[in-house]
Amino acid sequence: MVPHLITALNGPINELEQRILESMPAIERWFRLEWMEHTPPFYSSVDIRNAGFKLAPVDTNLFPGGFNNLNPETLPLAVQAAMAAIEKICPEAKNLLLVPEAHTRNTFYLANIATLVRIFNQAGLNVRLGSLDPAITGPTQLALADGGSLTLEPLQRTRGRLGLKDFDPCTILLNDDLSAGIPAVLQNLHEQYLLPPLHAGWALRRKHQHFKAYEEVAKKFAKLMGMDPWLINPMFSHLDGLDFASGEGLDALQTQTDALLTKVRRKYKEYGINEKPFVIVKADTGSQGRCITTVRDAKDLETLGLKRGDQACRLPDGQPVNAVLIQEGVATYERVNEAVAEPVVYMMDRYVVGGFYRVHAERGVDENLNAPGSSYVPLAFAESTQLPRPGAKPGASAPNRFYMYGVIARLAMLAASYELEATDPDAEVYA
């Protein structure tokens, strides 16, 4: 299934697809050499936007929460990738402690946790769930929509180790993005593997650091391909010290927004793109899809709800947004049943394990689709990532387009690797 892509704009992307397919051996060797030097995140997901003239990642999640939306036929890929990841980290691993979001009882999120349990069970691990929720004081069953259930247990901390009653894991896998802060129970664990590391969580992570790393990766890849990195890289800037309630920093935000719009206009003119550019202003930390604003003119910031400091524009822990990422807007011209759609690619270790189209019938091509009302259509990655068809016409083959999406997603995953290395507080050289 290949969703409809507006054909009037797909020339440059067809050329990019053709170039990627022709360069597949060189691309795969390049990735292989990069992974010899860098460690991939344990798992990740990447939101991608296809504007027809530009294809770029707009968000990279290091605590992905939608494994239940993957095509069940791709789960063997995830199991194999999980095996590879665990073998590198703790080859003798027997027990895995999975820590989900503390207070979430959403049935879709619980289905994601159930899918992760299934993946790691089939990878040869005993999996149990430890809750950060202080209200969980004993084994607690949560019902799943399919009639099954999950059992949450209270975490037990013993010096440098974290576990459950009668359960001592080699590895702890977090599926909580730590946007509300780092719980004391997770700190100073020196005897176990904690994945992802604490500095991957939104308590410390910043989006502009990721896109700075991605910019570096995109330039390297573009040099390999002999292309303009802008075709796969969203330009950006960031700003700290904002107070939307009082208006402090708003002038600086307008200035930076106008400067970025000017840069995008130049690129549109260079490529003959007859559209009005836009930027996305969003919190520099994880906001779970909230506080994301489309801006086509810097003056619009004076009247948009972003500056009101209201509840809709606060971080998940209730704190007001005081730092933003100003990102070049990349429209999505993909359609599923006439509704706007964007591909989301899931990875574990360095492998693509599946993905889906996030679809929203009530959102426009220039808006955030990660919002209430979205739905998910699985991608058929099982065949497509392994068997692209170099002879097929660009834009017509599902395997070819999905392979291209997998390449872009892996570039973002590599950028996350660069980012985590640069921000590691325990590294010898802190950047």
Side-chain angles (χ1 to χ4, degrees), residues 250-296:
L250 183 59
D251 288 345
L253 177 58
Q254 288 178 314
T255 298
Q256 288 205 28
T257 298
D258 191 55
L260 185 57
L261 282 167
T262 299
K263 288 182 180 179
V264 179
R265 284 189 200 100
R266 289 198 200 105
K267 277 295 182 181
Y268 278 25
K269 184 176 181 181
E270 178 184 342
Y271 282 89
I273 299 164
N274 296 316
E275 292 194 12
K276 188 173 183 178
F278 64 99
V279 300
I280 301 295
V281 179
K282 53 188 173 183
D284 202 24
T285 59
S287 59
Q288 298 180 356
R290 293 180 289 180
C291 207
I292 298 177
T293 304
T294 301
V295 181
R296 294 185 180 276

Side-chain angles (χ1 to χ4, degrees), residues 16-69:
L16 177 62
E17 179 183 309
Q18 189 69 41
R19 189 171 298 186
I20 284 176
L21 291 171
E22 291 172 352
S23 305
M24 186 167 52
I27 290 171
E28 296 304 327
R29 178 178 181 273
W30 181 81
F31 273 121
R32 191 165 62 248
L33 294 176
E34 286 287 334
W35 294 129
M36 290 175 66
E37 301 292 331
H38 305 282
T39 302
F42 186 82
Y43 55 6
S44 57
S45 66
V46 178
D47 297 357
I48 297 173
R49 307 277 287 205
N50 188 348
F53 55 83
K54 183 181 181 104
L55 180 71
V58 294
D59 194 34
T60 300
N61 187 355
L62 300 181
F63 299 84
F67 279 92
N68 55 303
N69 295 317

Side-chain angles (χ1 to χ4, degrees), residues 192-227:
Q192 294 162 299
Y193 295 97
L194 181 64
L195 302 167
L198 292 179
H199 67 283
W202 287 121
L204 298 174
R205 188 181 180 218
R206 297 295 178 265
K207 292 180 181 178
H208 79 268
Q209 293 169 332
H210 174 73
F211 284 100
K212 179 181 178 182
Y214 182 79
E215 186 174 51
E216 180 182 351
V217 169
K219 286 179 179 177
K220 287 184 178 181
F221 183 76
K223 184 176 181 181
L224 172 74
M225 299 291 290
M227 56 178 271

Side-chain angles (χ1 to χ4, degrees), residues 348-371:
M348 193 171 290
D349 195 62
R350 59 194 177 100
Y351 305 104
V352 171
V353 299
F356 51 81
Y357 274 98
R358 181 184 288 121
V359 184
H360 205 303
E362 298 176 3
R363 291 285 175 119
V365 298
D366 60 350
E367 292 183 291
N368 169 45
L369 303 187
N370 186 15

Side-chain angles (χ1 to χ4, degrees), residues 109-124:
Y109 177 73
L110 294 178
N112 158 71
I113 295 298
T115 303
L116 284 171
V117 170
R118 179 183 174 192
I119 289 169
F120 289 105
N121 275 156
Q122 294 186 5

Side-chain angles (χ1 to χ4, degrees), residues 15 46 90 112 126 130 178 183 238 251 271 279 281 328 331 397 411 418 425:
E15 293 169 14
V46 178
C90 185
N112 158 71
N126 299 316
L178 305 179
H238 79 283
D251 288 345
Y271 282 89
V279 300
V281 179
E328 174 190 353
S397 165
L411 293 176
Y418 284 28

